[in-house]
Amino acid sequence: MSRIISAALCSLVVFAVSSSDAFAANAAAGKATYDASCKTCHLAGLMGAPKLGDKANWAPRIKKGNAVLVSNATKGFKGAVGMMPPKGGNAKLTDVQIGDAVAYMVSASK
């Protein structure tokens, strides 16, 4: 029984390490998407967009988790302060590109 528990714990550690590495890789890939499609609003704070690097503004969003942020960016979102059009108004973006851009903005705003 202890071998099963040990194997499960090892699997969790490997998953956690690979997940953080994947997040960093996605964040690096997301800079190009951010520069091409997200920068206009997120640099200036247009339509209530949280500015890149604004830790206080990003903190409550980051707490909701990456999945929620990606979903809001993909489907669009209207909040109390602003709004996010689906795919930031660029329908050509893939879900992977959106996830990468979100990872980049989160990593730059922690």
Side-chain angles (χ1 to χ4, degrees):
M1 180 66 105
S2 65
R3 285 185 180 174
I4 293 171
I5 293 172
S6 294
L9 289 174
C10 287
S11 296
L12 286 174
V13 169
V14 168
F15 176 75
V17 170
S18 66
S19 293
S20 64
D21 289 345
F23 185 79
N26 289 342
K31 184 177 184 333
T33 301
Y34 169 81
D35 287 341
S37 297
C38 310
K39 190 175 186 176
T40 301
C41 293
H42 285 280
L43 187 64
L46 297 178
M47 296 186 292
K51 293 180 182 179
L52 183 70
D54 183 346
K55 294 177 182 186
N57 204 346
W58 274 96
R61 291 169 170 87
I62 292 170
K63 283 183 184 178
K64 292 179 181 179
N66 203 43
V68 170
L69 293 174
V70 171
S71 176
N72 288 347
T74 303
K75 297 175 185 174
F77 177 78
K78 184 167 181 163
V81 182
M83 58 91 60
M84 168 81 182
K87 295 188 175 189
N90 183 351
K92 293 180 181 179
L93 289 176
T94 67
D95 291 350
V96 171
Q97 288 173 310
I98 292 169
D100 289 350
V102 167
Y104 169 72
M105 288 187 276
V106 166
S107 69
S109 303
K110 283 186 173 181

